[in-house]
Amino acid sequence: MKPSPLAVLLMSLFVCTPVSAESAAIAPTPTPIPEDYAEPGRPIDLPGRRLNLRCFGRGPQVVVLEAGGNADSTTWYRVVPLLQDAARVCAYDRAGYGFSNEGPMPRDLAADVADLHQVVRAAAGRAPVVLVGHSLGSNIVRRYAQTHPQRVAGLVLLDPPEQGAEPAMPAQWRQQDAAMSARRDALLTACESAAQAGRLDTPEPATQSCLRAPPPWMGEAVAEAVRSSKLKPGYWRSLRSELESNRSLFAAPVPADESYGAIPLRMLVADAAYAGVPEEARAVLQQARTQTHQRILAASSASRRVDLPGSSHEVPLDRPQAVADAVRELLRAQDPPASKPPASKPKVR
């Protein structure tokens, strides 16, 4: 029996690129990333550390982009140019990733939401923002919308992962996942130890899997910046903590009473192939995916689903125009109605 999609994802997360091997095989090679991403953007100063923020464009409306697991602001390089003429568009590196310093542990949903609040304040002041979340980022922006609804003008969720599948999976499947997670944790520990000792740049046999070659769309300067961030032990501590948190986060289903009130929501859903997964496991995963998406959509009184045939899970790379279209729709809904000239008074004769 092949490992589950969850196990494959867990083992492929700590690479030089946010794109998994499976997704890279599906998606066409996108345009190259600008070399500006090889340098940090604007720092957000927090106690004892900094978060790296990149903002593009101008306008009274603000869009904040939240990347998926083990990904940073480079994820959004194809989306930003499609939106920066309509709003101020901001992406950031979560704590421990990219140019952002390591943050307090654990790196769980509460920590991510607290940092996102600082990002929203830095990007938009007191104004509400449209939040875009990909994969794990969809969980972060959903929780933010529940805890800070007055700061959220709209939500765009990109292929939210299924939740609640694990308890219903076949016993042999769960055993394989447990074994894969143990192997992953051992590798993460070895990667962190090598980074702490300054040996990760010249890996030994036990740590050769820590880093991979960059994707073809990432030029030399950006690839070197990404690699440099992953040579730091704080990156590996952050990744391990994030993955540990994800175990419980995705094992539990979306609560039936989750609510975002009247916040407008658009959910972009990629094809769910589950290629190579046996039928008994595929049925469980598909049922969990269906329930996850239905409950998220039901949590907003102004939600709509948009299917993306032919897209892999890496929606920001595969379908940036679809992301931009969904965001623009929510931005237009915020526009105040065009002011009409005052009616002229009839002349008194």
Side-chain angles (χ1 to χ4, degrees):
M1 183 180 292
K2 293 184 179 181
S4 73
L6 175 60
V8 172
L9 176 63
L10 294 180
M11 290 302 293
S12 65
L13 275 175
F14 38 96
V15 294
C16 238
T17 164
V19 183
S20 68
E22 178 183 3
S23 298
I26 296 172
T29 302
T31 54
I33 186 171
E35 290 196 0
D36 292 350
Y37 283 85
E39 301 295 331
R42 165 192 167 191
I44 300 175
D45 290 316
L46 300 177
R49 62 189 177 106
R50 286 180 167 182
L51 292 175
N52 182 53
L53 177 68
R54 303 182 189 275
C55 290
F56 308 83
R58 294 181 180 179
Q61 296 170 304
V62 180
V63 179
V64 174
L65 309 171
E66 182 72 59
N70 186 31
D72 55 34
S73 56
T74 59
T75 296
W76 302 104
Y77 87 95
R78 297 196 73 200
V79 174
V80 166
L82 303 177
L83 286 173
Q84 62 185 20
D85 67 320
R88 178 174 166 83
V89 186
C90 298
Y92 77 107
D93 303 332
R94 280 200 300 277
Y97 297 158
F99 289 99
S100 290
N101 299 133
E102 181 181 7
M105 296 294 171
R107 299 314 304 169
D108 55 14
L109 202 57
D112 290 336
V113 169
D115 279 1
L116 177 57
H117 188 53
Q118 299 302 320
V119 170
V120 169
R121 291 177 60 184
R126 296 183 178 182
V129 302
V130 172
L131 291 176
V132 184
H134 172 233
S135 194
L136 172 64
S138 70
N139 294 78
I140 298 171
V141 301
R142 281 165 47 206
R143 180 65 59 85
Y144 187 83
Q146 294 172 77
T147 54
H148 302 281
Q150 73 283 1
R151 304 306 306 273
V152 182
L155 291 170
V156 177
L157 309 180
L158 310 182
D159 210 35
E162 65 269 1
Q163 295 183 222
E166 183 179 343
M169 294 293 279
Q172 183 180 358
W173 197 270
R174 295 199 302 271
Q175 291 172 359
Q176 272 206 323
D177 271 348
M180 289 288 287
S181 294
R183 289 169 56 192
R184 181 209 70 193
D185 290 345
L187 179 56
L188 286 171
T189 299
C191 296
E192 181 188 341
S193 297
Q196 190 71 51
R199 298 196 308 269
L200 194 56
D201 204 22
T202 53
E204 301 170 356
T207 56
Q208 286 181 350
S209 299
C210 294
L211 302 173
R212 290 186 190 172
W217 48 265
M218 187 175 285
E220 183 177 347
V222 180
E224 182 56 34
V226 172
R227 182 180 179 85
S228 295
S229 74
K230 297 185 178 184
L231 294 177
K232 301 174 183 177
Y235 163 78
W236 298 99
R237 286 190 290 266
S238 300
L239 175 57
R240 181 165 55 186
S241 183
E242 179 177 277
L243 292 177
E244 288 174 354
S245 172
N246 287 352
R247 287 175 178 168
S248 58
L249 176 63
F250 291 112
V254 176
D257 60 350
E258 183 162 317
S259 175
Y260 326 121
I263 296 174
L265 182 150
R266 298 294 178 266
M267 180 191 293
L268 277 58
V269 179
D271 287 342
Y274 299 126
V277 178
E279 177 57 34
E280 68 274 16
R282 183 166 61 248
V284 173
L285 290 168
Q286 186 58 60
Q287 183 178 8
R289 180 177 174 86
T290 299
Q291 182 189 75
T292 296
H293 292 172
Q294 287 176 343
R295 289 188 175 182
I296 292 174
L297 289 167
S300 165
S301 62
S303 65
R304 185 164 64 85
R305 171 180 171 135
V306 179
D307 289 304
L308 302 176
S311 176
S312 76
H313 181 62
E314 303 299 335
V315 176
L317 285 177
D318 282 6
R319 302 294 292 275
Q321 188 62 59
V323 179
D325 290 345
V327 173
R328 283 178 177 271
E329 181 185 356
L330 297 188
L331 292 174
R332 287 194 297 269
Q334 296 179 55
D335 285 336
S339 58
K340 298 180 180 180
S344 59
K345 296 181 179 180
K347 292 182 179 181
V348 178
R349 296 184 181 273

